[in-house]
Every structure is written in structure tokens, then in C-alpha cells.
Amino acid sequence: MSLKKATLLIVIILLVDQISKIYIKTNFIYGEAGEIKVAEWFRIMLIENEGMAWGTVIPGEYGKLFLTIFRIFAVFGIAYWLWSSVKTKASNYLIVAISLIFAGAFGNIIDSVFYGVIFNDSFHAPATLFSENPYGTLFHGKVVDMLYFPFWSGILPEWLPIWGGKYFTFFNAIFNIADMAISTGVGILIVFNKKAFAPEKEVENQTSEV
């Protein structure tokens, strides 16, 4: 897979990710009050987080800044990994996976770096793009999440250890397109591990077969 095709894939994912986030941010109120129930198992709603994927938070005054800077360095490392993989004609599985991970990480970095200075908050009304009263500062933006798939909710049987008798929702994470890209890329590396990291001769054989 050429670097040009990998770049095109990255650009497409970034566009879909950012367009969806900007639309949700400027048309939805924060939280359950503004959610749209597409189906019992699929809802669209605006949630923001200051941490890593799936809402993990790093506490402390400088936690957010540290996380954003860490993400930026990580993206540079992923970009080099992608460039090196293309240059050495690595497996298409590997190049696609790296491209997805890069696009997802970069998409969330855009939120973290810029959203705090171009949006106001969305707690009482949809946010305004390029607001005169932004909610944060540069490098302190919040990542926009919107996709929620609560496939099942209910009280778990009492006989279950630890969680028995408690209310439980599966699947409870709220995420975005960037998170999906990262998860898909990691999934490809896990499921197609042998093909992704195949020796050079095997990669050539795969390419010739295609």
C-alpha cells in the first residue's frame, strides 16, 4: 500500500471524525437531556471527556496538558512507524492498521488542542463554533464523544459473584469516530497479527496474489 493511499484513508477518517464532532457540538445539549434515541440499543448524545480513549482521566492541574503533549509525541511516533512501514513495503494489513490508529489519535488531538478555544460550553444550549466566550484554553480542550450502544440494561442475577443484584449496562462506553478508528486498527493487529507482521517474502507473495 502506497503512502498516498494511506494518507487518503487518514484524511477521510479525519474529515468524518471532525465533521461529526462539530455537528454534534453545535446541535446537541450536553448529556442525556439532548440525546436522540435511534433505537433501544443505539443513541446519539453529546458527552465530553478530558482523558484518554473511553473517558479515562488523568487527575491534577497539569494532567490534561501532560496528556495532550503525550498524545502529540505519540502521533509523531505513529507517523514515523507508518512512513517506515510503507518504505519497507510492509503488509497492507499493517499499513491500514497504523493509518487507522494514526487518524484516530490525530482526530482526538485536534479536540484536545483547539476545541477549548473555538467552542463555548454545551450545558444549556448547543455550542457556538468560534465563540467569543470559549470554555477553555489552548491544549485544554475536551474530546467530543457521541456514539452510545447500550445493547442491554437490567438487574443482574443475584447468583453472580461481585455484580449480582446490581444494575448493569452492556455496552456502556460512549465514543467517537476517532475511537472507532483506533480500536479497529488495534483489532486488525490482534486478529491478523501473522499477516500484519509477515516476513518480507510472505508480503511479496500476498501482493502478487492480489
Side-chain angles (χ1 to χ4, degrees), residues 13-204:
I13 294 171
L14 283 175
L15 284 175
V16 174
D17 177 62
Q18 289 303 307
I19 289 172
S20 63
K21 287 174 177 176
I22 292 171
Y23 176 81
I24 293 295
K25 185 70 176 165
T26 56
N27 287 275
F28 282 65
I29 298 173
Y30 189 94
E32 294 181 1
E35 75 172 27
I36 293 179
K37 184 181 289 187
V38 180
E40 286 297 325
W41 50 269
F42 176 33
R43 302 173 191 179
I44 300 175
M45 59 193 300
L46 169 60
I47 293 293
E48 296 173 303
N49 74 78
E50 300 188 44
M52 300 182 75
W54 315 109
T56 304
V57 175
I58 296 181
E61 182 180 355
Y62 297 102
K64 174 63 179 177
L65 180 61
F66 170 80
L67 176 59
T68 302
I69 293 174
F70 171 79
R71 279 174 167 167
I72 292 173
F73 277 105
V75 162
F76 275 109
I78 298 169
Y80 176 78
W81 186 19
L82 176 60
W83 175 82
S84 176
S85 298
V86 172
K87 186 177 180 181
T88 56
K89 297 181 180 180
S91 166
N92 287 343
Y93 287 92
L94 179 61
I95 296 173
V96 169
I98 299 172
S99 299
L100 290 171
I101 295 171
F102 176 86
F106 194 79
N108 284 335
I109 282 178
I110 293 174
D111 299 30
S112 297
V113 174
F114 299 110
Y115 276 25
V117 295
I118 64 174
F119 287 112
N120 57 343
D121 68 65
S122 306
F123 292 111
H124 305 291
T128 301
L129 182 60
F130 302 119
S131 171
E132 295 181 358
N133 298 296
Y135 70 77
T137 56
L138 198 67
F139 289 95
H140 287 82
K142 298 176 182 178
V143 177
V144 174
D145 295 323
M146 77 287 291
L147 301 175
Y148 182 35
F149 293 89
F151 292 113
W152 181 85
S153 297
I155 304 297
L156 293 174
E158 292 287 348
W159 52 264
L160 281 175
I162 303 176
W163 300 285
K166 296 181 180 179
Y167 186 83
F168 180 78
T169 299
F170 178 86
F171 170 72
N172 199 36
I174 303 174
F175 53 97
N176 56 43
I177 302 299
D179 294 331
M180 289 179 62
I182 294 172
S183 299
T184 303
V186 172
I188 291 173
L189 294 180
I190 295 173
V191 176
F192 300 101
N193 181 272
K194 290 184 178 180
K195 291 184 178 180
F197 297 99
E200 187 174 343
K201 289 184 178 179
E202 291 185 23
V203 173
E204 291 177 355

